[in-house]
Amino acid sequence: MDERVYELLNDQMKKELYSAYLYMSFADYYEDEGLSGFANWYMIQAAEERDHALIFRKYLLDNGKSVQLKGIDQPDKTFSNHLEPLEAALEHEKYITGTINDIYTAALEAKDYRTMKFLDWFISEQQEEEDNAEKQVSRMRLFGNDAKALYDLDQENAARVYAVPSPLANA
Ligand code: OFO
């Protein structure tokens, strides 16, 4: 495997684990705010991010590469209203989309078609994650100032259930 592609895949594991850590901090904020549905949403999001890291880990191991676990930063977000974590999540997902695109570009340049194919799942996943994050932002902007509507949004988020991502389910 091309050295740069390898490094980027390895770094992505850390970024996905940081995403899990970040979303857990959002869940903690919402728990403190009494919005346990939003907390549920972000704990499931955190579980998905950990799974994303495991998918990269498996890909490296399946391709005979060693895994290098690197240090994970402390999330430094503090929030002053219910909208801010949702906006931070959208911004973060766009950043992660950029990092996936960077690996794809490196794989293309290295003619590493296998890695490009592997990344296809993540490219679709990022579109879904950005869509979900955008939906959370717009619904909070529209309805977040109304107590009954906020309660309903919280209930909706409470209904989210964890599902194993297909690359791990089929592993
Ligand atoms: Fe790993 O998908 Fe969000 O960041």
Side-chain angles (χ1 to χ4, degrees), residues 6-23:
Y6 169 60
E7 267 175 34
L8 289 172
L9 288 168
N10 227 317
D11 280 355
Q12 193 66 28
M13 253 188 322
K14 173 178 122 165
K15 292 186 169 93
E16 300 292 342
L17 289 171
Y18 174 75
S19 303
Y21 218 33
L22 181 70
Y23 290 145

Side-chain angles (χ1 to χ4, degrees), residues 8-163:
L8 289 172
L9 288 168
N10 227 317
D11 280 355
Q12 193 66 28
M13 253 188 322
K14 173 178 122 165
K15 292 186 169 93
E16 300 292 342
L17 289 171
Y18 174 75
S19 303
Y21 218 33
L22 181 70
Y23 290 145
M24 210 185 301
S25 78
F26 293 6
D28 295 344
Y29 163 77
Y30 284 119
E31 286 290 2
D32 287 346
E33 291 293 303
L35 291 168
S36 56
F38 280 86
N40 173 64
W41 174 277
Y42 280 108
M43 283 309 286
I44 289 173
Q45 196 60 35
E48 284 198 359
E49 299 300 351
R50 176 214 51 205
D51 289 347
H52 294 170
L54 295 180
I55 295 167
F56 281 101
R57 175 181 180 275
K58 182 173 186 314
Y59 183 71
L60 287 173
L61 293 174
D62 285 351
N63 283 277
K65 304 299 290 183
S66 63
V67 168
Q68 290 173 18
L69 295 178
K70 302 191 177 162
I72 303 169
D73 292 338
Q74 178 180 357
D76 60 356
K77 304 273 180 210
T78 49
F79 304 111
S80 50
N81 62 58
H82 299 149
L83 180 61
E84 283 180 7
L86 307 178
E87 290 176 329
L90 177 57
E91 189 190 330
H92 184 70
E93 286 306 326
K94 287 181 176 169
Y95 161 71
I96 291 293
T97 297
T99 65
I100 298 285
N101 289 345
D102 288 346
I103 312 174
Y104 199 94
T105 302
L108 178 63
E109 282 168 7
K111 293 190 170 41
D112 181 351
Y113 302 113
R114 183 188 301 170
T115 297
M116 289 160 67
K117 189 162 180 283
F118 164 73
L119 289 171
D120 279 347
W121 183 86
F122 281 98
I123 288 167
S124 306
E125 175 72 7
Q126 281 310 119
Q127 180 170 17
E128 198 183 308
E129 299 229 316
E130 281 188 36
D131 286 351
N132 285 338
E134 254 165 29
K135 207 200 289 176
Q136 292 280 1
V137 168
S138 63
R139 292 191 318 172
M140 183 63 84
R141 279 194 186 134
L142 282 169
F143 310 121
N145 290 328
D146 177 80
K148 170 71 173 84
L150 182 61
Y151 176 80
D152 288 345
L153 288 179
D154 196 54
Q155 291 293 105
E156 261 184 59
N157 282 335
R160 183 181 187 189
V161 289
Y162 169 76

